[in-house]
Amino acid sequence: MEIVDCHCDVLSKIWENNESLYSNRGQFDIKRARQSGVIVQFCSLFAPGTADSSLRAVLNQMDKFYVELNLHSDSVYLLSSFGDFMAHRDGQHIGIILHLEGGEALGQDPGLLRVFYRLGLRSIGLTWNHRNLLADGVLDDASGGGLSRVGREVVRLAEELGIVIDLAHISSRAYFNVLEMVSRPVIVSHANARRLCDHPRNLTDEQLISLAQHGGIVGCTLVPDFIKPAGTGHDLNDFVDHIVYISELIGVDHVGLGSDFDGVDEPVLKDVGEWGKLQAALEGRGFSAAEVEKILQSNALGFIEQVLL
Ligand SMILES: [Zn+2]
């Protein structure tokens, strides 16, 4: 079994705690990821704040990543094109895709995205939960705000450069603004179905259908509050309910994984070493071997191949 995981927060975590990417006490490290068959991992750079403070923190997290990459180049590589992936498909290496979770660091300078691209960035979510200079976040939904002028410029530039556009965390208005603009597929890296769990971070049926019409994928996520309403208890089968529901609504070809390891307390798989349990649970719920393979890796790989230039 091979796994492509579209979201985790290990980089900001090990930067804060001064820990190793290879082996640490958090929910994700290379050692356990290899045992689980992870072949590609999106890793976020996460630093909400003012433009200047965010920029410094993001650059520091990138520095931490490159220090770790040099130390562990026998087991990880920077995935910046699909060719990089093909060149490292040997069962020994995990490709890391650098993702910016919230574009605060860009301030009002869309051109900084070109600099980040040169530094290896290949994925961006315009906002975290709150409004910034690019767009409104999901917790500002009541304002009805969408993409700003600078936000539109960032979307255009991301498409031109071949950077993944991630609509997790963005307001509903901005979500549809982006879909109207883009010509290539986009991702929602970590979210579930609003119909099964009424949380603002989950996607409505309309959002899911529109995502699929644009060829995009959703990374179903292990975050407890996005699986069942807080305090009602949850297990792995409740998570699989979301995968089943979304597969039936928009087709299994649009479903992937976005764990949010190191971004949340008590995910339904306790760490990256437990991915095997999900494979068994999916098989137990009637997905064919080919469908399980699509969900665990090939839908996300196909998406990466289409978007990274
Ligand atoms: Zn997140």
Side-chain angles (χ1 to χ4, degrees), residues 33 89 111 155 184 235 299:
R89 194 154 201 195
V155 170
R184 275 200 292 272
D235 62 21
N299 289 338

PDB file of all heavy atoms in Angstrom, residues 33 89 111 155 184 235 299:
ATOM      1  N   ALA A  33       6.305   7.230   8.729  1.00  0.00           N
ATOM      2  CA  ALA A  33       5.666   7.419   7.416  1.00  0.00           C
ATOM      3  C   ALA A  33       6.157   6.367   6.423  1.00  0.00           C
ATOM      4  O   ALA A  33       5.376   5.835   5.625  1.00  0.00           O
ATOM      5  CB  ALA A  33       5.940   8.824   6.896  1.00  0.00           C
ATOM      6  N   ARG A  89      10.837   7.245  -7.418  1.00  0.00           N
ATOM      7  CA  ARG A  89       9.846   6.207  -7.133  1.00  0.00           C
ATOM      8  C   ARG A  89      10.542   4.864  -6.924  1.00  0.00           C
ATOM      9  O   ARG A  89      10.474   3.968  -7.755  1.00  0.00           O
ATOM     10  CB  ARG A  89       8.826   6.134  -8.262  1.00  0.00           C
ATOM     11  CG  ARG A  89       7.625   5.337  -7.826  1.00  0.00           C
ATOM     12  CD  ARG A  89       6.361   5.681  -8.532  1.00  0.00           C
ATOM     13  NE  ARG A  89       5.263   5.224  -7.687  1.00  0.00           N
ATOM     14  CZ  ARG A  89       4.030   5.102  -8.090  1.00  0.00           C
ATOM     15  NH1 ARG A  89       3.705   5.402  -9.313  1.00  0.00           N
ATOM     16  NH2 ARG A  89       3.086   4.687  -7.270  1.00  0.00           N
ATOM     17  N   GLY A 111       3.910  39.284  -6.156  1.00  0.00           N
ATOM     18  CA  GLY A 111       5.175  38.845  -6.752  1.00  0.00           C
ATOM     19  C   GLY A 111       6.032  38.018  -5.810  1.00  0.00           C
ATOM     20  O   GLY A 111       6.886  37.249  -6.259  1.00  0.00           O
ATOM     21  N   VAL A 155      -4.027  34.168  -7.362  1.00  0.00           N
ATOM     22  CA  VAL A 155      -4.590  32.981  -8.023  1.00  0.00           C
ATOM     23  C   VAL A 155      -4.064  32.884  -9.460  1.00  0.00           C
ATOM     24  O   VAL A 155      -3.641  31.812  -9.915  1.00  0.00           O
ATOM     25  CB  VAL A 155      -6.141  33.024  -8.007  1.00  0.00           C
ATOM     26  CG1 VAL A 155      -6.733  31.935  -8.900  1.00  0.00           C
ATOM     27  CG2 VAL A 155      -6.656  32.867  -6.573  1.00  0.00           C
ATOM     28  N   ARG A 184      -7.260  25.127 -14.346  1.00  0.00           N
ATOM     29  CA  ARG A 184      -6.799  23.803 -13.911  1.00  0.00           C
ATOM     30  C   ARG A 184      -7.507  23.411 -12.608  1.00  0.00           C
ATOM     31  O   ARG A 184      -8.054  24.267 -11.914  1.00  0.00           O
ATOM     32  CB  ARG A 184      -5.284  23.800 -13.712  1.00  0.00           C
ATOM     33  CG  ARG A 184      -4.531  23.537 -15.000  1.00  0.00           C
ATOM     34  CD  ARG A 184      -3.121  23.062 -14.708  1.00  0.00           C
ATOM     35  NE  ARG A 184      -2.310  24.113 -14.123  1.00  0.00           N
ATOM     36  CZ  ARG A 184      -1.619  24.991 -14.834  1.00  0.00           C
ATOM     37  NH1 ARG A 184      -1.625  24.940 -16.141  1.00  0.00           N
ATOM     38  NH2 ARG A 184      -0.906  25.916 -14.242  1.00  0.00           N
ATOM     39  N   ASP A 235     -15.329   7.339  15.641  1.00  0.00           N
ATOM     40  CA  ASP A 235     -14.308   6.324  15.404  1.00  0.00           C
ATOM     41  C   ASP A 235     -13.982   6.293  13.914  1.00  0.00           C
ATOM     42  O   ASP A 235     -14.494   7.101  13.130  1.00  0.00           O
ATOM     43  CB  ASP A 235     -14.735   4.948  15.935  1.00  0.00           C
ATOM     44  CG  ASP A 235     -15.990   4.445  15.239  1.00  0.00           C
ATOM     45  OD1 ASP A 235     -16.298   4.913  14.124  1.00  0.00           O
ATOM     46  OD2 ASP A 235     -16.673   3.582  15.812  1.00  0.00           O
ATOM     47  N   ASN A 299      -5.597   9.166  -7.066  1.00  0.00           N
ATOM     48  CA  ASN A 299      -6.304  10.415  -7.393  1.00  0.00           C
ATOM     49  C   ASN A 299      -5.407  11.623  -7.120  1.00  0.00           C
ATOM     50  O   ASN A 299      -5.323  12.549  -7.925  1.00  0.00           O
ATOM     51  CB  ASN A 299      -7.587  10.552  -6.559  1.00  0.00           C
ATOM     52  CG  ASN A 299      -8.664   9.568  -6.987  1.00  0.00           C
ATOM     53  OD1 ASN A 299      -8.646   9.070  -8.109  1.00  0.00           O
ATOM     54  ND2 ASN A 299      -9.591   9.294  -6.088  1.00  0.00           N
TER      55      ASN A 299
END
